[in-house]
């Protein structure tokens, strides 16, 4: 980006972070499961947005303390809504299967699954170990497959028992599934795989009343991101956006809520870019 473009982005009215959009009842009565929902990232903001939109939520994560803190915070803010939790390591098939079964039992049913779990990092290909490659692919892509498979089985049975039942699966992809970035080969490959998985599972899910879509954020800045990526890189990525800033995590969560709602009943197999990147 040229200096003129950077200056223009910083001076744009859109560079100022807007007030968080209030809830509009988009998910009233819906039962939603969100993976990797503990902490301060997109998962937590999505769980909170579900409650803002009138739904009930089950938050899942592998970190017991952070998950407990997340649930306590959400229950305190939304005392009239149902907030549940299940510990889950998304790299373990038995735990993912138990998550879907347990969520259906605790919530009474599942209407929406948000596959938010993912793992990044910054390593050039020449320096990347097999373990680094495998770990990112497993947490980011394979876990999305595991949860999608378990949810598809659940929705298939629910639809067979009640032809009026519909389900929604929303995956968290990334613009790196389309675009190249230094040191991100493992993450980009995993997110491209999430996009392909979204399209293929959407075709199969249609048979059972299931819509499957994905969001593709460019950059949503939160404290956890700084643990796996340098502040300098994050600053540069934010400056490269047309707005001159990164997205707030709630700005991603609102799009996820839209995809989970009845405003998108004719959308499936789509990857929605949540980005202000320049073409």
């Amino acid at each position: 980006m040229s200096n003129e473009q950077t200056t223009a982005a910083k001076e744009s009215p859109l560079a100022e972070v807007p007030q968080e959009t209030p809830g509009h009842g988009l998910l009233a009565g819906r039962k939603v499961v969100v993976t990797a929902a503990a902490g301060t990232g997109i998962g937590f903001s999505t769980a909170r947005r579900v409650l803002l939109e009138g739904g009930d939520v089950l938050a899942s994560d592998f970190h017991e303390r952070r998950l407990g803190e997340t649930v306590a915070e959400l229950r305190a803010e939304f005392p009239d809504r149902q907030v549940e939790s299940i510990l889950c390591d998304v790299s373990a098939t038995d735990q993912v299967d138990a998550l879907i079964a347990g969520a259906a039992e605790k919530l009474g049913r599942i209407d929406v699954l948000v596959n938010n779990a993912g793992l990044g990092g910054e390593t050039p290909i020449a320096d990347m170990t097999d373990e680094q490659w495998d770990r990112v692919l497993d947490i980011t892509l394979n876990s999305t497959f595991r949860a999608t498979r378990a949810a598809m089985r659940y929705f298939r049975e629910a639809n067979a028992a009640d032809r009026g039942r519909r389900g929604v699966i929303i995956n968290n992809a990334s613009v790196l599934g389309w675009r190249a970035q230094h040191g991100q080969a493992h993450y980009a490959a995993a997110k491209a795989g999430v996009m392909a998985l979204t399209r293929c599972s959407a075709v199969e899910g249609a048979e059972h009343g299931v819509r499957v879509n994905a969001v593709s954020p460019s950059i949503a800045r939160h404290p956890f991101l700084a643990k796996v990526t340098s502040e300098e890189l994050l600053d540069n990525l934010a400056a490269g956006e047309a707005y001159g800033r990164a997205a707030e995590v709630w700005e991603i969560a609102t799009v996820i809520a839209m995809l989970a709602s009845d405003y998108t009943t004719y959308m499936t197999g789509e990857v929605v870019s949540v980005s202000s990147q320049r073409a």
Side-chain angles (χ1 to χ4, degrees), residues 121-125 127 176 179-185 233:
E122 186 179 2
T123 308
I125 291 174
D127 300 323
L176 289 186
R179 298 169 180 168
Q181 185 174 310
H182 185 278
Q184 296 291 324
L233 176 59

Side-chain angles (χ1 to χ4, degrees), residues 123-138 186:
T123 308
I125 291 174
D127 300 323
M128 190 177 296
T129 65
D130 285 358
E131 290 74 19
Q132 287 173 310
W133 174 271
D134 291 343
R135 180 66 174 163
V136 169
L137 267 289
D138 191 38
H186 46 1

Side-chain angles (χ1 to χ4, degrees), residues 40-222:
T40 59
I42 294 173
F44 171 80
S45 190
T46 298
R48 184 173 178 274
R49 173 54 56 174
V50 169
L51 299 168
L52 277 172
E53 298 293 351
D56 297 319
V57 71
L58 185 140
S60 171
D61 206 284
F62 76 97
H63 196 291
E64 185 172 9
R65 178 184 58 79
R66 286 205 305 259
L67 183 59
E69 292 171 351
T70 293
V71 170
E73 182 176 344
L74 293 175
R75 285 175 175 169
E77 185 176 1
F78 301 94
D80 297 330
R81 300 248 50 90
Q82 184 180 7
V83 181
E84 304 289 351
S85 67
I86 292 179
L87 277 172
C88 179
D89 178 354
V90 293
S91 69
T93 294
D94 59 341
Q95 292 193 37
V96 173
D97 290 345
L99 167 63
I100 298 302
E105 182 177 353
K106 287 192 172 189
L107 293 174
R109 68 176 189 279
I110 300 172
D111 298 310
V112 181
L113 167 66
V114 180
N115 282 316
N116 175 66
L119 179 67
E122 186 179 2
T123 308
I125 291 174
D127 300 323
M128 190 177 296
T129 65
D130 285 358
E131 290 74 19
Q132 287 173 310
W133 174 271
D134 291 343
R135 180 66 174 163
V136 169
L137 267 289
D138 191 38
I139 298 300
T140 305
L141 175 58
N142 295 348
S143 74
T144 303
F145 159 69
R146 294 183 188 102
T148 297
R149 176 178 58 190
M152 280 288 199
R153 290 169 176 169
Y154 168 81
F155 287 132
R156 180 177 61 187
E157 293 177 6
N159 183 262
D162 178 3
R163 292 295 295 176
R165 285 288 306 278
R166 296 185 178 187
V168 178
I169 299 174
I170 302 165
N171 299 323
N172 193 354
S174 167
V175 294
L176 289 186
W178 290 311
R179 298 169 180 168
Q181 185 174 310
H182 185 278
Q184 296 291 324
H186 46 1
Y187 187 71
K191 290 301 189 180
V194 169
M195 292 178 176
L197 175 63
T198 298
R199 292 188 288 268
C200 292
S201 55
V203 172
E204 297 180 17
E207 303 171 19
H208 310 296
V210 183
R211 293 188 292 111
V212 187
N213 292 295
V215 294
S216 177
S218 51
I219 176 173
R221 203 158 185 172
H222 54 88

